Amino acid sequence: MEKKKKLTRIKALRISLVWLGLILVGSGCQPTAKKEAEEILLPFFNEATFTPMWVKEGTAAYDDIHTIAPFRFVDQRGDTVSNALTDGKVYVANFFFTLCPSVCPRMSKNLLRVQEAFEASEVVILSHTVMPWADTVERLQVYAELNDIRADQWHLLTGDKQEIYSLARESYFADEGFGKTVTIEADFLHTEKVILVDQQRRIRGVYNGTIPLEMARMIEDISTLL
């Protein structure tokens, strides 16, 4: 009988320990869950190293977040496209040229996934040519037709070379470094980066446009912003 009582007490103690463990685990998960929820929010990118920064609204740092400068270019239909088109919208920006044999076709193919995933009213795509002296409106139109690009959502932009390059380097931090050591006349911008910009023209994501998995990640981040 005494042995039976002892076994009963041990069993009860084990049950108590199990319940205590469950309570501790449950209480311990709350801060972790909160932390994970906070980490889901997309960071901001303020400079060329693309170091992510999480800045709370209402702080002094929040007011100093880097924004894309105003711009004005012409698209494949000959229409003027400025920042007024993207203000209040999420948009994606990249840099390409129609004669590019390898990198640019892969980026265009991957960006088609964005075009297919979202409506024009939700997300705009801006592809800036880095060879504006060659990529005329007519050539951009042909490129758009060959790549199934919808003009109401995806704008292939051309304009003054210096304005395009300045915007790329100073606003999007998009240059990979090629061409900076040559003369101004021979200067050429090259990048595989695709930049995600939010409704207030702030950079919220940077991706390699040649990698399909990166584009899948960007689509998820766009959904987060929307």
Side-chain angles (χ1 to χ4, degrees):
M1 178 65 73
E2 185 64 29
K3 183 177 180 180
K4 186 176 180 180
K5 289 182 178 178
K6 185 176 181 180
L7 290 174
T8 301
R9 287 197 297 270
I10 292 174
K11 184 177 180 180
L13 178 60
R14 287 176 177 173
I15 293 173
S16 298
L17 289 173
V18 170
W19 278 107
L20 179 61
L22 290 173
I23 292 171
L24 290 174
V25 169
S27 61
C29 285
Q30 292 177 5
T32 303
K34 183 179 180 181
K35 182 179 179 180
E36 289 176 352
E38 290 175 349
E39 290 176 350
I40 290 174
L41 300 177
L42 299 182
F44 299 94
F45 297 89
N46 284 345
E47 37 75 37
T49 64
F50 288 112
T51 302
M53 296 180 59
W54 283 265
V55 184
K56 291 184 178 180
E57 188 173 358
T59 62
Y62 190 85
D63 296 331
D64 292 331
I65 293 173
H66 172 78
T67 58
I68 304 301
F71 56 86
R72 182 179 294 271
F73 300 114
V74 177
D75 71 4
Q76 69 267 33
R77 294 185 295 189
D79 295 336
T80 298
V81 174
S82 71
N83 52 282
L85 175 70
T86 60
D87 285 350
K89 287 186 178 181
V90 173
Y91 77 92
V92 173
N94 78 312
F95 296 84
F96 83 114
F97 57 105
T98 60
L99 298 177
C100 175
S102 58
V103 173
C104 300
R106 293 205 301 272
M107 282 200 294
S108 295
K109 182 179 179 181
N110 288 331
L111 283 171
L112 280 174
R113 300 175 62 181
V114 179
Q115 179 179 264
E116 294 166 359
F118 302 98
E119 299 293 333
S121 59
E122 296 177 315
V123 179
V124 173
I125 305 172
L126 302 181
S127 293
H128 310 70
T129 177
V130 296
M131 290 185 64
W133 59 91
D135 287 335
T136 62
V137 169
E138 293 76 17
R139 178 170 286 182
L140 292 177
Q141 178 61 36
V142 171
Y143 187 87
E145 293 172 357
L146 291 174
N147 289 276
D148 299 320
I149 291 172
R150 296 199 304 263
D152 63 329
Q153 180 177 18
W154 191 342
H155 303 270
L156 307 179
L157 302 177
T158 188
D160 179 76
K161 175 188 174 182
Q162 189 57 47
E163 290 181 9
I164 293 173
Y165 278 40
S166 294
L167 188 73
R169 289 171 173 160
E170 297 170 14
S171 279
Y172 292 106
F173 312 123
D175 197 355
E176 304 289 351
F178 298 102
K180 288 187 176 180
T181 59
V182 298
T183 63
I184 294 176
E185 290 76 15
D187 189 20
F188 189 72
L189 186 146
H190 177 276
T191 180
E192 298 175 355
K193 290 186 177 72
V194 175
I195 311 297
L196 175 60
V197 184
D198 69 13
Q199 294 90 333
Q200 287 78 44
R201 302 210 311 270
R202 302 171 300 192
I203 298 176
R204 306 303 297 276
V206 184
Y207 316 85
N208 187 320
T210 66
I211 301 176
L213 186 61
E214 286 277 275
M215 293 298 95
R217 181 168 68 88
M218 184 175 71
I219 288 172
E220 291 181 359
D221 290 346
I222 291 172
S223 298
T224 298
L225 288 178
L226 293 176

